[in-house]
Amino acid sequence: MVLSGLGWWWHSRWQVLNHVRVPQTHTATLFLPGNSGAWLSMRSMVLSLDRPHLASFPLTARVSQAGQVTWQQHHAVTTNPLIPVIFKDNTHALRQSRQLITVLDQLHGRYGITHVNFVGHSSGGTIAYDYLNHRPQAPVTVSRLVCIGADFPERQPLKYHYPQLHILNLAGEIEAVGNDSEVPANTVTPLRHLVAGRVGSYRYEEVRGPIWQTQHSLLHENPQLDVKVIRFLYPPS
């Protein structure tokens, strides 16, 4: 009885996504896990958004210690493709951001992708930010960036202008705690000053709720956050 009740509760959590509709585009969204992150880090979010009326999950990019990229293709690349990027060396954000250039180069060359979004959890947001501060870059346009519980230690302001780039910066706040148990909000909010005057728009939001929805490692298991993210990534044209 308990197991069946838990199964029903787990299934019902994701029903909110059944009523969400977003435009279908050819912009790919890359998911960047945080420190020591792997496929399981972003699995729930990717699979919950893999629905015909939302997005598709055609590819996984796996990056070796040396930066070589192996592509695992699940099905044809169609609309709103979701692409997890799994780094073997997953504890050095600056190095991973350089390896991301190869991922994007190949994504453009092999699959014809010209526009991308980034979703970065924890230091995955730092990887995306560091990529934006690199030159040269891959021949793709970064349209949107979602940071989830990301902090930006010792980062310098954005060097380059990205008038087309829109950023959503999300911080978890456990009820009566004021943070997500690992990343204080005051280490998340500095992104505003780092990108000021350099991007098309910036928005900061706190995601408040019980610990099982807002703890640092559980933020990407929150279906309400999934709704917020997919609507931001693929807004009405």
Side-chain angles (χ1 to χ4, degrees):
M1 180 67 90
V2 173
L3 289 176
S4 62
L6 286 173
W8 175 86
W9 172 79
W10 184 261
H11 177 74
S12 65
R13 291 175 70 222
W14 305 103
Q15 295 305 303
V16 63
L17 288 163
N18 291 343
H19 308 291
V20 178
R21 296 292 185 277
V22 297
Q24 298 300 296
T25 75
H26 294 289
T27 299
T29 295
L30 277 64
F31 290 80
L32 309 173
N35 197 49
S36 300
W39 163 230
L40 288 178
S41 302
M42 308 300 284
R43 177 182 182 277
S44 180
M45 178 173 281
V46 171
L47 294 183
S48 67
L49 296 175
D50 180 20
R51 306 177 182 216
H53 56 286
L54 294 177
S56 60
F57 173 33
L59 297 168
T60 299
R62 297 185 181 275
V63 185
S64 73
Q65 191 86 10
Q68 296 177 321
V69 182
T70 300
W71 294 93
Q72 182 179 358
Q73 186 157 358
H74 313 293
H75 56 74
V77 178
T78 56
T79 55
N80 294 2
L82 311 175
I83 305 171
V85 182
I86 311 303
F87 297 92
K88 182 67 174 178
D89 180 0
N90 56 14
T91 59
H92 300 92
L94 188 59
R95 183 181 301 166
Q96 290 168 263
S97 68
R98 295 192 182 101
Q99 294 176 339
L100 185 58
I101 298 172
T102 304
V103 174
L104 294 170
D105 272 333
Q106 293 188 14
L107 192 60
H108 176 265
R110 295 186 181 199
Y111 302 102
I113 297 296
T114 59
H115 290 73
V116 299
N117 303 318
F118 293 138
V119 175
H121 174 252
S122 195
S123 63
T126 315
I127 294 168
Y129 181 82
D130 288 344
Y131 169 81
L132 293 170
N133 258 340
H134 286 323
R135 285 292 188 274
Q137 293 182 342
V140 299
T141 298
V142 183
S143 301
R144 294 187 174 249
L145 166 61
V146 178
C147 296
I148 304 171
D151 58 357
F152 302 90
E154 302 176 357
R155 283 339 189 243
Q156 298 299 311
L158 201 59
K159 300 175 185 177
Y160 309 106
H161 287 273
Y162 294 95
Q164 83 291 343
L165 177 60
H166 302 278
I167 298 176
L168 175 61
N169 192 17
L170 300 171
E173 185 172 320
I174 301 169
E175 292 171 343
V177 174
N179 58 57
D180 68 6
S181 81
E182 293 186 31
V183 177
N186 63 5
T187 67
V188 175
T189 52
L191 181 60
R192 174 184 178 182
H193 305 290
L194 293 175
V195 303
R198 300 283 177 167
V199 299
S201 70
Y202 169 88
R203 188 165 89 237
Y204 170 76
E205 292 186 24
E206 293 179 352
V207 181
R208 297 184 178 90
I211 190 170
W212 57 85
Q213 292 182 339
T214 55
Q215 193 274 338
H216 185 70
S217 297
L218 297 176
L219 278 166
H220 43 61
E221 310 293 322
N222 184 339
Q224 296 294 338
L225 187 142
D226 286 356
V227 172
K228 189 184 298 288
V229 167
I230 196 69
R231 284 178 169 162
F232 177 80
L233 293 174
Y234 298 103
S237 55

